[in-house]
């Protein structure tokens, strides 16, 4: 009955089940995508995990994947990431720094906004100013782009923008790929009426429910194949029911359990990107007991990572080693895999005074697997005599609330370059510093690495920083799961791609048959 109620609620949101009849009449082989030329027309219905009233059409306040997917349809960034997490051109055709990487020039491609106006350097400068507005605390890229010196930045003609920095930075293009960095029109004021340069024109938006957009024929990258895009919000069970029933053609972020269920399906296939996200646990290093590095190390030694992978991720993941970015540029090579050691963990807990403490693990249903992982880890920690209470908070405000509540929290992230991850989460002023790890020496060493133009020397400095995080920080990274999306066999052109990269949520390049 609970399943029926969830599904009926979603059906009302999705607007009927006509897709089911179409799918019943079109059943290629299990898991197959047959070849054929792209076809134009039709409406794609894509469903994502929702964030309720906190969903937004403000592209500089985006946090959830459902927001980012909508914004990607309507707006463009200067730069995006490819599958290897290297910056690639979007609105910027090319770029170059001066000798000490304190001034960068970005050459803009001819691009048209949905209102018919042309992209100009003033739009880029306005967008940076809006992101950096000190009154806008919800602009996620604000801290990372704080090195931009807006007063010295300027337009060079109609197609070049010069971005000046307060200090040298060798990876500014990568910073501009970050969440919350789309380019808006210089007259942009009302998030409820967005006008961008993206492949779809805005139609309508209701937070926590739906978004509608229409093909933009004058997009610089070519018009989408689809006539219309609808992005819907729903919880895991409803997403699974909808894609199986044919009520949507794309379901984002599915579980390993669901992937097993549809292995032989003639209606649904899984598009998997191996090891492209990260699952972990954060330990708050600004409060007892984790202000003592021994206590944090004890919990790292208590984690049965193989069991977490098996139970929570269905073994569709790579094992984690208390570091972000496995397989990405700047990931340290040759680090021995951390193994479980309950006796040593117990000794460290006793030494740090944590053994007799009662700790709170604050988690949420904000992401699939969070609650299961929290309870399983609490059981594992109990083998050393540690008492952990699991508290489940509301998903809508979890990522903000968890910065303050409890000593332990759930952590996940999509694909992002390692320097960006460190900027977002491991510096004293990082907006998502969930481990509350604040060390001035680390901040200074990181700034030095970012300013290093020599690639080899910069890599060595990042290597040292990563090892410091692993051995002294509050990050317990236990797994790197495959990224699993479900698509209808009617939908073609969906490529495996890590989240937050250029080919992720590329609804302008897919088509229906």
């Amino acid at each position: 009955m609970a399943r029926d109620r969830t599904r009926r609620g979603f059906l009302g949101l999705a607007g009927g089940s006509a897709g089911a009849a179409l799918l019943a009449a079109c059943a290629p082989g299990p898991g197959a995508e047959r070849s054929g030329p792209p076809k134009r027309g039709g409406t794609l219905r894509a469903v994502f995990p929702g964030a309720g009233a906190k969903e937004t059409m403000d592209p500089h306040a985006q946090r959830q994947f459902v927001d980012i997917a909508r914004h990607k349809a309507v707006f463009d960034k200067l730069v995006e990431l490819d599958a290897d997490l290297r910056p690639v051109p979007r609105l910027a055709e090319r770029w170059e720094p001066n000798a000490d990487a304190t001034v960068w020039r970005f050459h803009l491609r001819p691009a048209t906004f949905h209102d018919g106006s042309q992209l100009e350097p003033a739009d880029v400068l306005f967008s940076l100013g809006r992101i950096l507005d000190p009154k806008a605390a919800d602009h996620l890229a604000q801290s990372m782009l704080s090195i931009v010196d807006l007063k010295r930045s300027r337009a060079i003609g109609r197609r070049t923008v010069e971005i000046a920095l307060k200090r040298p930075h060798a990876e500014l293009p990568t910073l501009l790929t970050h969440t919350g960095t789309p380019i808006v029109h210089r007259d942009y004021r009302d998030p409820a009426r967005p006008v961008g340069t993206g492949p779809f024109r805005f139609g309508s938006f209701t937070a926590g429910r739906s978004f509608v957009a229409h093909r933009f024929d004058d997009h610089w990258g070519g018009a989408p194949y689809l006539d219309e895009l609808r992005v819907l919000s729903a919880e895991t069970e409803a997403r699974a029911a909808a894609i199986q029933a044919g009520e949507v053609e794309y379901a984002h972020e599915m579980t390993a359990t669901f992937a097993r269920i549809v292995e032989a399906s003639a209606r649904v296939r899984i598009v998997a990107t191996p090891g492209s996200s990260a699952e972990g646990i954060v330990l708050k290093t600004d409060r007892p007991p984790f202000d003592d590095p021994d206590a944090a190390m004890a919990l790292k030694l208590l984690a049965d990572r193989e069991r977490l992978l098996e139970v929570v991720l269905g073994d569709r993941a790579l094992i984690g080693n208390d570091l972000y970015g496995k397989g990405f540029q700047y990931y340290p090579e040759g680090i021995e895999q951390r193994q479980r050691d309950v006796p040593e963990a117990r000794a460290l807990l006793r030494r740090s005074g944590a053994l007799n403490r009662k700790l709170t693990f604050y988690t949420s249903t904000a992401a699939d697997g969070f609650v299961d992982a929290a309870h399983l880890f609490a059981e594992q920690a109990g083998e050393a005599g540690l008492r952990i209470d699991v508290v489940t908070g509301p998903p809508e405000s979890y990522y903000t609330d968890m910065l303050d509540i409890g000593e332990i929290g759930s952590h996940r992230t999509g694909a992002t370059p390692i320097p960006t991850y460190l900027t977002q989460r491991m510096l004293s002023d990082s907006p998502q510093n969930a481990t509350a790890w604040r060390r001035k020496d680390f901040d200074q060493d990181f700034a030095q690495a970012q300013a290093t133009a020599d690639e080899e020397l910069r890599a060595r400095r990042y290597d040292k920083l990563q090892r410091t995080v692993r051995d002294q920080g509050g990050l317990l990274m236990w797994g790197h799961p495959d990224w699993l999306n479900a698509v209808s066999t009617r939908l073609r052109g969906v490529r495996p791609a890590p989240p937050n990269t250029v080919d992720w949520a590329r609804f302008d390049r897919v088509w229906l048959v």
Side-chain angles (χ1 to χ4, degrees):
M1 291 300 294
R3 178 181 293 273
D4 265 350
R5 284 196 297 272
T6 302
R7 187 174 164 210
R8 281 199 297 270
F10 182 80
L11 288 175
L13 170 62
S17 57
L22 289 169
L23 284 172
C26 175
E33 178 178 307
R34 293 179 177 175
S35 60
K39 296 184 178 181
R40 295 198 176 274
T43 296
L44 172 66
R45 298 161 297 181
V47 60
F48 285 71
K54 294 207 175 270
E55 294 179 13
T56 179
M57 275 308 299
D58 185 340
H60 299 148
Q62 59 186 206
R63 289 180 180 272
Q64 308 296 330
F65 283 127
V66 67
D67 288 332
I68 299 170
R70 286 192 299 264
H71 301 159
K72 190 168 189 174
V74 175
F75 303 96
D76 290 305
K77 296 180 180 179
L78 287 176
V79 187
E80 288 269 22
L81 296 171
D82 67 9
D84 297 322
L85 301 195
R86 296 173 300 188
V88 292
R90 293 300 283 167
L91 287 178
E93 291 182 311
R94 67 185 191 282
W95 51 82
E96 67 273 342
N98 65 356
D100 64 355
T102 56
V103 178
W104 289 74
R105 285 190 174 183
F106 291 82
H107 303 275
L108 305 179
R109 69 174 70 250
T112 304
F113 283 96
H114 301 153
D115 64 0
S117 61
Q118 298 300 301
L119 173 70
E120 295 183 0
D123 301 306
V124 175
L125 295 172
F126 174 82
S127 298
L128 291 172
R130 190 174 188 275
I131 292 167
L132 294 170
D133 182 356
K135 297 178 182 177
D138 58 347
H139 289 178
L140 193 59
Q142 196 170 95
S143 174
M144 189 176 54
L145 292 179
S146 62
I147 61 165
V148 172
D149 188 338
L150 278 175
K151 292 181 179 179
R152 291 176 47 239
S153 300
R154 59 182 182 143
I156 307 292
R158 296 192 62 184
R159 294 274 302 279
T160 301
V161 60
E162 188 173 88
I163 301 178
L165 306 181
K166 298 173 183 176
R167 61 180 184 273
H169 199 299
E171 295 181 280
L172 178 62
T174 298
L175 295 187
L176 293 171
T177 69
H178 183 256
T179 301
T181 56
I183 300 301
V184 300
H185 193 278
R186 55 191 175 277
D187 293 330
Y188 180 82
R189 296 293 183 273
D190 183 1
R193 301 177 65 184
V195 174
T197 62
F200 293 91
R201 293 180 292 104
F202 176 77
S204 64
F205 167 63
T206 302
R209 292 182 62 82
S210 65
F211 160 85
V212 178
H214 309 282
R215 182 180 64 236
F216 179 47
D217 288 325
D218 294 327
H219 187 247
W220 58 266
Y225 300 119
L226 302 168
D227 291 333
E228 185 175 86
L229 170 66
R230 296 187 179 190
V231 176
L232 311 169
S233 300
E235 295 183 355
T236 303
E237 186 178 350
R239 297 199 306 279
I243 190 71
Q244 288 179 292
E247 292 152 3
V248 299
E249 292 77 34
Y250 178 97
H252 189 258
E253 199 174 345
M254 305 307 290
T255 66
T257 300
F258 179 80
R260 286 195 297 269
I261 290 171
V262 299
E263 277 179 345
S265 173
R267 294 182 171 185
V268 179
R269 67 185 183 92
I270 295 296
V271 179
T273 308
S276 61
S277 55
E279 296 278 348
I281 294 168
V282 291
L283 313 171
K284 311 291 182 60
T285 61
D286 66 337
R287 65 202 70 175
F290 302 120
D291 52 354
D292 184 336
D294 280 351
M297 181 59 71
L299 268 71
K300 296 174 188 179
L301 294 174
L302 284 174
D304 186 339
R305 299 160 201 264
E306 290 85 355
R307 183 64 176 159
L308 284 162
L309 294 184
E310 176 188 0
V311 173
V312 181
L313 301 177
D315 273 336
R316 297 192 65 147
L318 305 173
I319 194 167
N321 201 16
D322 301 334
L323 282 173
Y324 171 73
K326 194 165 191 173
F328 298 160
Q329 186 182 27
Y330 304 131
Y331 189 85
E333 300 293 335
I335 293 184
E336 185 178 355
Q337 176 63 48
R338 183 160 280 147
Q339 302 294 328
R340 193 169 197 234
D341 189 336
V342 177
E344 176 64 14
R346 187 182 293 112
L348 290 173
L349 289 170
R350 187 176 294 109
R351 186 186 310 163
S352 64
L355 195 59
N356 297 318
R357 279 184 169 273
K358 186 177 181 181
L359 303 178
T360 296
F361 192 139
Y362 186 68
T363 188
S364 169
T365 58
D368 292 328
F370 269 10
V371 175
D372 291 342
H375 284 285
L376 181 55
F377 181 73
E379 292 176 10
Q380 294 172 0
E383 295 179 31
L386 192 63
R387 296 180 299 162
I388 296 178
D389 281 349
V390 176
V391 175
T392 303
E396 294 83 1
S397 57
Y398 174 71
Y399 292 101
T400 300
D401 296 343
M402 62 92 62
L403 297 175
D404 300 312
I405 300 176
E407 296 84 18
I408 307 172
S410 298
H411 174 63
R412 79 174 319 188
T413 182
T416 192
I418 286 172
T420 303
Y421 180 88
L422 296 177
T423 300
Q424 289 177 301
R425 303 176 188 273
M426 301 306 301
L427 302 181
S428 297
D429 60 354
S430 294
Q432 295 173 285
N433 188 353
T435 62
W437 200 50
R438 300 179 177 90
R439 283 181 38 172
K440 290 185 178 179
D441 59 336
F442 186 90
D443 297 346
Q444 292 166 356
D445 289 345
F446 182 72
Q448 185 181 37
Q450 288 189 309
T452 304
D454 181 87
E455 178 71 24
E456 186 176 334
L457 178 56
R458 186 163 73 248
R460 289 201 299 271
R461 286 174 170 165
Y462 282 134
D463 184 289
K464 179 182 176 182
L465 289 162
Q466 283 278 80
R467 292 173 188 269
T468 299
V469 168
R470 178 181 184 270
D471 295 333
Q472 301 176 33
L475 184 62
L476 196 172
M477 195 71 79
W478 55 264
H480 300 274
D482 297 350
W483 193 254
L484 305 174
N485 298 316
V487 301
S488 161
T489 48
R490 293 184 58 229
L491 181 62
R492 309 293 167 83
V494 178
R495 301 177 182 178
N500 297 328
T501 60
V502 66
D503 284 327
W504 169 82
R506 282 296 302 275
F507 298 130
D508 59 318
R509 297 292 88 193
V510 302
W511 65 96
L512 296 166
V513 297

